[in-house]
């Protein structure tokens, strides 16, 4: 995982590439092991049509799915020692991200809709800067797409996204209020889910 | 007048559902406004084609999910409440579209009179507080025949009343004692006076209209004579009392015993506790002695013997005539009664009225004497009635209608109870006298005691706070939408507020009565508040007092 400063620095460098593509979900493999933005971060990929997606899951596993990893840290002092002693791990393991497509940019205008054509495999993926994220979050129409995702932990993704975005906003409480009102409209018939969500984003 | 046809102000909310009979539901745009909205205030609704004028009849809190009611949001932090109020929990108002102001498609309608709404606005039409312009379109703006009577609730706009329309019907001012009936009546009288559309004859039982009155906090307020010295004449039944109050009356009213007729006695039936038989006796006596002399001769009878001989002659029971004699002699004791000759009081009043001078008849010390008030009021009104019927009938040939008059009576239920209303002149006037240019302004605190037939003839009703159910029923009987008006009437404040509905106003409206009694308020009648000038006028008219 990378911190905010690294994020700004890396914004012009691709963090990974698309290895599975559909209209609604993408899988992005990180170029470096464990080098992934946090859950709820905004990712962009594509050139002519920039597709925005939000990270809903981060997975690190063996590249060869037929070979499982085994425990190696029994005699090590720390996890770093294990990686130093076994440098091949960096080539045998990989970090991949599941993202939910939430919008696209075409001719400089951002739409909170599913793009008509999904990104290509091997399209480079970039983390969005906080400014880009704020620009994308000027309105919260994309929350509709997130809410209707069939991911069971989607509420956690929404909370992570809103918390991290609001931290960089010039007026965090206004941003949360607008987002909250959009959620309230989306979840007007599910008070319990709504109040839980609101309580979590207000923290 | 400029009209912004395209305006779609949603400052208050948007229409979400509703019906013509139940009113349209409007979801408030701003959740914090729910406490600022008040029942009875005016709003404008911008439909797709029509602009409506309506009134708020209900306010409620709505939720999008019934579970909100069972979720303990009170324990949640303020952010949750802030987000949810206005989105899943919101304020709603019910608006009754009363009038259609104009059709946006047809610009000409913008300059016509608003018409009663026969449809409702589309879904999601914008709702905003009524503008001053809208209120002017509905109620008119101050002019010669349109009098500023007060303000709509919580608004600064002037609410006006078409006096010319008003005086064509009998009107009523109702309200519990101390709710501002007299102040409202005074304003109406000034309105009639300033418009010149009718002459006022005021039977001023409590001496409040002529020279001066008092507000509840014992501040003196000016009467009509002080404000309009050249247009108002004060007639008095009691010169001494008038002078004591600093007023020299224009005329002292005396009534000759000769002038009292059978019809003047029937109205006193209940007050004098006369039986039907006694009234029959009056009728027979009048026939026996002649119209002019019957009362004088009858009261002149002294001793039991003389009465019994008359009783025998007329075939009446002696006891009936003795008790009638006792009771009628109460009339004789009034100072304004002249045993010896008849007076031209009625003619004098008519003469003033015909000249366009408004007459206030003060009762002086008889202010609490119902017998004097009813006797005189009935007697004078009967004569005026006769005269006006004659005048109107001759006017058909001469093509000159007599000037309309408005007769103001207080404690009206005493003249208009179901048992006597059909027999008295007031019942007749209320029912049909508008044809003869005579109408009544009924001021009363017990409308339930007034004959229902007469109540139903009242053109415009001005209702101050009433809390007795019977009185509320009486005022609202036969009024469209009375169920809603009932709640409005019950929620009036006890001072300076009135509900107006009926003939001369396009829709029922609650007003805050115009200020009366301060120098500014006098100035607002277009008068120079120059006490010196008033003193000069006074001396010119009455000489040194």
């Amino acid at each position: 995982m990378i911190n905010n400063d690294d994020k700004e620095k890396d914004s012009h460098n691709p963090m990974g590439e698309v290895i599975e593509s559909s209209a609604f979900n993408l899988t992005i493999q990180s170029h470096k092991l464990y080098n992934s933005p946090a859950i709820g971060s905004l990712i962009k990929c594509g050139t002519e049509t920039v597709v925005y997606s939000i990270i809903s899951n981060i997975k690190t596993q063996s590249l060869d799915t037929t070979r499982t990893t085994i425990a190696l840290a029994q005699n090590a002092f720390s996890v770093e020692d294990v990686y130093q002693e076994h440098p091949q791990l960096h080539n045998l393991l990989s970090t991949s991200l599941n993202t939910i497509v939430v919008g696209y940019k075409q001719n400089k205008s951002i739409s909170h809709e599913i793009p008509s054509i999904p990104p290509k495999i091997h399209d480079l993926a970039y983390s969005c800067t906080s400014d880009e994220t704020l620009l994308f979050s000027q309105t919260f129409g994309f929350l509709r797409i997130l809410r209707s995702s069939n991911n069971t932990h989607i509420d956690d993704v929404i909370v992570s996204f809103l918390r991290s975005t609001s931290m960089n906003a010039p007026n965090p409480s206004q941003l949360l209020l607008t987002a909250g009102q959009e959620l309230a409209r989306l979840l007007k018939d599910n008070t319990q889910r709504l109040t839980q969500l609101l309580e979590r984003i207000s923290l | 007048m400029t009209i912004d046809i395209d305006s779609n102000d949603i400052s208050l909310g948007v229409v979400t559902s509703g019906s013509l009979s139940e009113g349209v539901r409007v979801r408030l745009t701003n959740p914090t406004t729910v406490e600022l909205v008040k029942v009875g205030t005016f709003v404008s609704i911008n439909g797709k084609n029509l602009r409506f004028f309506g009134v708020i009849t209900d306010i409620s809190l709505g939720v999008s999910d019934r579970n909100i009611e069972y979720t303990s949001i009170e324990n949640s932090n303020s952010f949750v409440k802030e987000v949810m109020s206005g989105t899943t929990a919101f304020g709603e108002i019910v608006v009754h579209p009363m009038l259609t102001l104009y059709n946006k498609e047809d610009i000409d309608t913008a300059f016509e009179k608003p018409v009663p709404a026969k449809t409702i606005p589309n879904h999601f039409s914008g709702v905003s507080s009524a503008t001053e312009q809208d209120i002017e379109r509905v109620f008119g703006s101050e002019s010669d025949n349109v009098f500023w009577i007060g303000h709509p609730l919580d608004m600064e706009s002037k609410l006006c009343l078409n006096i010319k329309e008003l005086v064509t019907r009998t009107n009523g001012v109702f309200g519990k004692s101390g709710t501002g009936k007299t102040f409202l009546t005074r304003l109406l009288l000034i309105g009639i006076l300033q418009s010149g559309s009718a002459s006022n004859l005021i039977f001023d039982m409590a001496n409040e209209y002529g020279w001066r009155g008092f507000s509840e906090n014992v501040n003196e307020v000016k009467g009509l004579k002080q404000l309009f010295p050249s247009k108002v004449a004060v007639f008095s039944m009691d010169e001494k009392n008038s002078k004591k109050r600093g007023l020299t009356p224009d005329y002292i009213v005396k009534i000759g015993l000769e002038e009292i007729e059978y019809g003047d006695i029937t109205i006193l039936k209940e007050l004098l506790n006369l039986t039907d038989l006694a009234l029959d006796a009056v009728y027979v006596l009048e026939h026996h002695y002649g119209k002019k002399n019957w009362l004088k001769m009858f009261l002149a009878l002294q001793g039991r013997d003389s009465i019994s001989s008359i009783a025998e002659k007329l075939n009446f029971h002696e006891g009936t005539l003795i008790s009638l004699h006792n009771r009628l002699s109460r009339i004789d004791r009034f100072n304004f009664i002249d045993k010896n000759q008849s007076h031209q009081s009625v003619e004098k009043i008519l003469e003033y009225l015909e000249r366009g001078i408004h007459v206030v008849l003060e009762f002086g010390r008889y202010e609490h004497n119902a017998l004097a008030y009813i006797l005189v009021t009935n007697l004078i009104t009967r004569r005026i009635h006769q005269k006006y019927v004659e005048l109107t009938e001759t006017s058909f040939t001469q093509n000159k209608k007599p000037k309309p008059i408005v007769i103001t009576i207080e404690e009206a239920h005493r003249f208009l109870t179901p048992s006597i209303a059909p027999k008295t002149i007031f019942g007749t006037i209320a029912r049909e006298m508008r044809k003869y240019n005579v109408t009544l302004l009924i001021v009363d605190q017990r409308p339930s005691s007034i004959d229902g037939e007469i109540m139903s003839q009242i053109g415009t009703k001005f209702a101050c706070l009433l809390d007795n159910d019977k009185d509320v029923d009486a005022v609202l009987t036969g009024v469209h939408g009375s169920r809603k008006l009932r709640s409005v009437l019950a929620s009036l404040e006890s001072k300076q507020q009135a509900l107006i509905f009926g003939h001369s106003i396009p829709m029922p409206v609650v007003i805050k009565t115009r200020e009366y009694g301060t120098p500014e308020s006098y100035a607002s009648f277009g008068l120079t508040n120059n006490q010196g000038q008033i003193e000069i006028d006074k001396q010119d008219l009455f000489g040194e007092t």
Side-chain angles (χ1 to χ4, degrees):
Chain A
M1 203 178 291
I2 53 176
N3 65 31
N4 260 349
D5 293 340
D6 294 336
K7 212 175 177 180
E8 299 295 331
K9 204 166 59 190
D10 290 348
S11 64
H12 298 295
N13 300 322
M15 48 72 57
E17 58 191 73
V18 177
I19 55 161
E20 222 180 288
S21 173
S22 78
F24 312 104
N25 297 292
L26 302 176
T27 307
I28 292 164
Q29 188 174 340
S30 176
H31 283 153
K32 287 183 191 159
L33 188 64
Y34 299 125
N35 185 9
S36 156
I39 286 194
S41 303
L42 192 65
I43 300 289
K44 60 178 181 182
C45 54
T47 45
E48 267 177 39
T49 303
V50 179
V51 175
Y52 292 99
S53 58
I54 287 174
I55 302 174
S56 61
N57 195 11
I58 304 172
K59 270 190 306 198
T60 301
Q61 60 187 10
S62 169
L63 266 174
D64 183 352
T65 48
T66 57
R67 297 169 67 184
T68 54
T69 47
I70 50 165
L72 295 170
Q74 197 178 3
N75 298 316
F77 290 106
S78 70
V79 71
E80 280 79 18
D81 291 346
V82 177
Y83 282 93
Q84 267 181 7
E85 278 176 34
H86 304 279
Q88 77 282 11
L89 284 177
H90 286 281
N91 295 321
L92 295 175
L93 299 175
S94 81
T95 299
S96 61
L97 328 168
N98 294 119
T99 65
I100 300 168
V101 177
V102 287
Y104 63 93
K105 183 162 83 175
Q106 219 166 22
N107 305 327
K108 291 190 176 170
S109 77
I110 294 174
S111 305
H112 293 161
E113 301 288 340
I114 302 293
S116 44
I117 296 170
K120 293 174 189 142
I121 301 288
H122 299 304
D123 256 350
L124 292 172
Y126 302 82
S127 307
C128 289
T129 62
S130 54
D131 285 345
E132 280 174 310
T133 311
L134 286 174
L135 192 68
F136 184 79
S137 317
Q138 275 180 338
T139 58
F140 290 91
F142 61 90
L143 289 175
R144 175 184 56 84
I145 308 174
L146 284 184
R147 181 212 50 164
S148 51
S149 141
N150 51 12
N151 188 318
T152 40
H153 301 290
I154 192 63
D155 285 1
D156 299 82
V157 177
I158 294 174
V159 170
S160 306
F161 175 83
L162 289 176
R163 271 198 212 159
S164 59
T165 311
S166 70
M167 267 190 276
N168 297 314
N171 186 351
S173 52
Q174 183 54 45
L175 182 134
L176 288 180
L177 182 65
T178 323
Q181 285 169 339
E182 181 66 30
L183 285 172
R185 272 187 280 278
L186 294 170
L187 299 172
K188 61 176 184 291
D189 48 1
N190 193 342
T191 305
Q192 200 183 1
R193 186 173 164 197
L194 175 66
T195 46
Q196 279 173 1
L197 252 175
L198 291 177
E199 274 171 15
R200 290 172 62 196
I201 64 171
S202 68
L203 289 175
Chain B
M1 182 166 35
T2 56
I3 288 164
D4 183 7
I5 288 286
D6 293 325
S7 78
N8 189 23
D9 191 352
I10 56 157
S11 59
L12 213 51
V14 289
V15 173
T16 54
S17 64
S19 69
L20 184 61
S21 57
E22 298 295 319
V24 292
R25 298 191 80 80
V26 174
R27 180 200 279 221
L28 297 179
T29 338
N30 184 347
T32 53
T33 51
V34 73
E35 291 181 12
L36 303 175
V37 178
K38 285 188 185 161
V39 159
T41 45
F42 294 130
V43 294
S44 303
I45 310 174
N46 270 297
K48 189 161 175 280
N49 292 322
L50 301 174
R51 186 173 169 88
F52 294 86
F53 189 79
V55 61
I56 299 176
T57 54
D58 198 10
I59 303 167
S60 59
L61 295 172
V63 287
S64 62
D65 177 16
R66 299 292 294 174
N67 285 326
I68 289 180
E69 292 168 28
Y70 316 113
T71 312
S72 49
I73 289 170
E74 66 276 11
N75 298 329
S76 303
N77 57 40
S78 58
F79 175 73
V80 178
K81 290 174 202 163
E82 193 181 350
V83 170
M84 290 183 64
S85 57
T87 50
T88 52
F90 43 83
E92 273 189 320
I93 54 176
V94 177
V95 174
H96 266 258
M98 307 293 288
L99 302 166
T100 312
L101 292 179
Y102 52 79
N103 189 334
K104 294 180 193 175
E105 300 285 288
D106 182 3
I107 187 75
D108 291 342
T109 57
F111 301 96
E112 288 165 12
K113 233 181 146 194
V115 289
K118 293 199 170 63
T119 179
I120 54 171
N122 271 356
H123 263 112
F124 317 120
S125 300
V127 179
S128 58
S129 300
T131 60
E132 207 152 299
Q133 203 185 65
D134 289 337
I135 291 182
E136 255 183 37
R137 284 180 49 74
V138 172
F139 298 103
S141 52
E142 231 180 334
S143 65
D144 285 351
N145 279 321
V146 184
F147 180 70
W148 163 36
I149 183 88
H151 304 276
L153 278 194
D154 298 318
M155 292 180 111
E156 288 303 311
S157 324
K158 289 178 178 177
L159 197 137
C160 301
L161 201 63
N162 189 332
I163 296 291
K164 210 169 175 182
E165 283 285 306
L166 182 82
V167 297
T168 57
R169 298 279 192 284
T170 284
N171 302 300
V173 179
F174 305 106
K176 278 202 310 180
S177 143
T179 51
K181 283 194 304 294
T182 308
F183 274 74
L184 186 55
T185 310
R186 220 180 260 135
L187 283 171
L188 289 172
L189 293 173
I190 291 174
I192 296 171
L193 187 149
Q194 286 197 318
S195 79
S197 38
S199 295
N200 284 307
L201 169 60
I202 303 146
F203 291 103
D204 184 7
M205 187 178 187
N207 311 318
E208 285 174 314
Y209 298 105
W211 186 242
R212 64 179 176 196
F214 291 94
S215 67
E216 203 137 275
N217 38 11
V218 205
N219 287 331
E220 191 180 308
V221 297
K222 290 182 182 184
L224 300 179
K225 180 80 186 175
Q226 284 198 59
L227 293 177
F228 306 96
S230 57
K231 285 188 180 169
V232 176
V234 178
F235 282 37
S236 178
M237 307 293 300
D238 183 0
E239 189 178 9
K240 256 191 210 165
N241 184 290
S242 297
K243 284 199 166 154
K244 223 187 279 171
R245 285 180 291 114
L247 162 75
T248 309
D250 296 60
Y251 187 81
I252 309 299
V253 174
K254 292 265 179 201
I255 287 167
L257 269 188
E258 295 175 4
E259 295 173 59
I260 299 174
E261 296 173 6
Y262 166 72
D264 301 317
I265 302 295
T266 46
I267 197 171
L268 304 175
K269 185 182 173 214
E270 274 169 29
L271 265 178
L272 290 176
N273 211 4
L274 301 176
T275 58
D276 286 341
L277 210 57
L279 285 181
D280 286 346
V282 171
Y283 186 76
V284 173
L285 282 167
E286 193 184 70
H287 198 68
H288 179 71
Y289 288 120
K291 230 175 192 173
K292 260 193 144 183
N293 289 325
W294 75 273
L295 188 57
K296 200 163 131 189
M297 305 276 274
F298 182 57
L299 290 178
L301 296 175
Q302 295 292 330
R304 202 186 170 101
D305 294 344
S306 49
I307 296 176
S308 25
S309 68
I310 278 290
E312 206 171 312
K313 204 168 176 185
L314 299 178
N315 204 10
F316 272 100
H317 191 266
E318 181 196 36
T320 309
L321 284 199
I322 289 174
S323 75
L324 180 66
H325 189 274
N326 286 340
R327 282 165 189 174
L328 290 183
S329 56
R330 280 172 63 189
I331 295 174
D332 193 22
R333 285 176 218 140
F334 292 128
N335 279 5
F336 57 80
I337 294 285
D338 190 332
K339 283 181 202 168
N340 304 316
Q341 58 181 43
S342 68
H343 288 259
Q344 301 298 311
S345 301
V346 177
E347 283 70 19
K348 201 81 189 166
I349 291 173
L350 275 169
E351 185 194 315
Y352 273 78
L353 290 176
E354 273 166 23
R355 273 163 45 203
I357 292 181
H358 306 264
V359 176
V360 181
L361 180 57
E362 288 196 337
F363 281 76
R365 87 185 94 136
Y366 303 108
E367 60 177 309
H368 299 300
N369 192 319
L371 181 63
Y373 184 65
I374 291 173
L375 174 73
V376 173
T377 306
N378 187 50
L379 189 139
I380 292 175
T381 310
R382 272 166 55 83
R383 304 300 182 277
I384 288 173
H385 166 230
Q386 277 166 12
K387 186 84 184 167
Y388 260 70
V389 170
E390 283 166 27
L391 280 174
T392 314
E393 276 162 5
T394 52
S395 76
F396 290 128
T397 50
Q398 293 170 6
N399 208 9
K400 182 175 167 264
K401 278 198 160 187
K403 195 174 172 71
I405 57 172
V406 175
I407 301 177
T408 303
I409 45 170
E410 290 193 298
E411 299 276 332
H413 65 268
R414 291 184 187 271
F415 306 96
L416 298 169
T417 52
S419 61
I420 60 169
K423 296 175 208 154
T424 68
I425 191 61
F426 295 100
T428 317
I429 293 178
R431 279 195 301 271
E432 63 187 42
M433 278 300 280
R434 120 192 125 70
K435 293 176 206 149
Y436 299 104
N437 282 339
V438 183
T439 53
L440 297 177
L441 178 59
I442 294 168
V443 184
D444 200 72
Q445 48 190 327
R446 290 281 332 190
S448 58
S449 311
I450 295 178
D451 188 21
E453 198 192 329
I454 287 167
M455 283 302 281
S456 66
Q457 295 301 318
I458 292 180
T460 309
K461 292 175 186 168
F462 300 81
C464 302
L465 177 69
L466 282 169
D467 46 18
N468 184 306
D469 276 349
K470 273 189 184 169
D471 290 332
V472 175
D473 281 341
V475 169
L476 295 178
T477 305
V479 178
H480 173 68
S482 60
R483 194 161 50 89
K484 272 150 215 130
L485 289 181
R486 171 178 278 273
S487 65
V488 175
L489 196 53
S491 64
L492 286 181
E493 279 171 27
S494 64
K495 284 257 173 302
Q496 249 200 324
Q497 282 195 359
L499 171 68
I500 309 178
F501 56 98
H503 174 71
S504 64
I505 200 136
M507 58 183 274
V509 52
V510 176
I511 61 156
K512 180 174 183 288
T513 319
R514 180 176 174 176
E515 210 57 57
Y516 184 93
T518 58
E520 298 79 38
S521 66
Y522 300 137
S524 72
F525 294 117
L527 304 165
T528 48
N529 185 42
N530 185 339
Q531 189 59 38
Q533 183 59 45
I534 291 170
E535 289 301 323
I536 292 167
D537 285 346
K538 227 167 101 181
Q539 282 176 15
D540 284 351
L541 278 157
F542 314 120
E544 294 289 338
T545 47

